[in-house]
Amino acid sequence: MPHLLKDHIGVISPLSDEEFDYILSHFVFKKLKKHSFLVQEGNSVKYEYFVLKGCLKAYMSDSNTGKEFIYQFGVEDWWITDREAFFKQSAATINIDCLEDSEVLGITLENREKLVSEMRKYEHFVAVKANLGYISLQKRLQLMIMGSVKERYENFIQQYPHLINRIPKSFIASYLGVSRETLSRLYRS
């Protein structure tokens, strides 16, 4: 039977059904309603999450203005958490909430480390995913520093065409570090 997580891992490290069942036994399933929090600032972060269904946003809030700064979206086949809080086992400094009804698989740091130490295939998968994540972050930072608003928007459309009609434009603007009005001007040009 196909499983999104098995397919996701299998792109890097193909797994037998038995290997995948063992990996899956270390995850917990969570179902969340639209507008509910997966991670909330100030709370502990016990899990790293793999998105099976839905759309989430990770953001920081300015306590003075209440303005949100979105730095990540999470949709099917993506991972999401407050990485610093998860790995340091500290309080979250961000919020992650559901833009849609969502389903996720969560793995604790303890279970993640257990799988990495027991299974070479999972260790390889985690290492490759971490490197790809660093590359993606580097490219995003370069674009935020050196790219024009138009270049950032065009890159977003090219990289995430499936998100354009799924995520409100105000959230895309926040992710790109611009106002909704600035983004609207780009649509008209």
Side-chain angles (χ1 to χ4, degrees), residues 41 59-69 93-95:
E41 184 178 355
Y59 62 96
M60 299 165 286
S61 295
D62 182 324
S63 59
N64 296 323
T65 65
K67 185 175 178 180
E68 291 181 4
F69 299 91
T93 58
I94 66 164
N95 294 298

Side-chain angles (χ1 to χ4, degrees), residues 8-55:
H8 179 76
I9 296 169
V11 169
I12 296 168
S13 295
L15 300 169
S16 69
D17 289 342
E18 294 77 24
E19 288 169 326
F20 176 69
D21 288 344
Y22 182 70
I23 289 169
L24 189 60
S25 72
H26 291 79
F27 284 80
V28 296
F29 175 80
K30 289 188 180 194
K31 195 171 191 171
L32 302 118
K33 292 286 186 195
K34 182 177 180 176
H35 302 303
S36 61
F37 284 96
L38 180 64
V39 170
Q40 199 162 14
E41 184 178 355
N43 293 346
S44 63
V45 178
K46 296 181 178 163
Y47 298 97
E48 178 179 39
Y49 298 98
F50 178 75
V51 182
L52 294 170
K53 177 184 170 197
C55 182

Side-chain angles (χ1 to χ4, degrees), residues 84-109:
E84 180 181 15
F86 176 70
F87 283 105
K88 290 184 175 180
Q89 296 291 279
S90 60
T93 58
I94 66 164
N95 294 298
I96 300 174
D97 67 19
C98 301
L99 301 177
E100 302 170 354
D101 290 348
S102 300
E103 296 176 2
V104 297
L105 290 172
I107 187 166
T108 63
L109 183 60

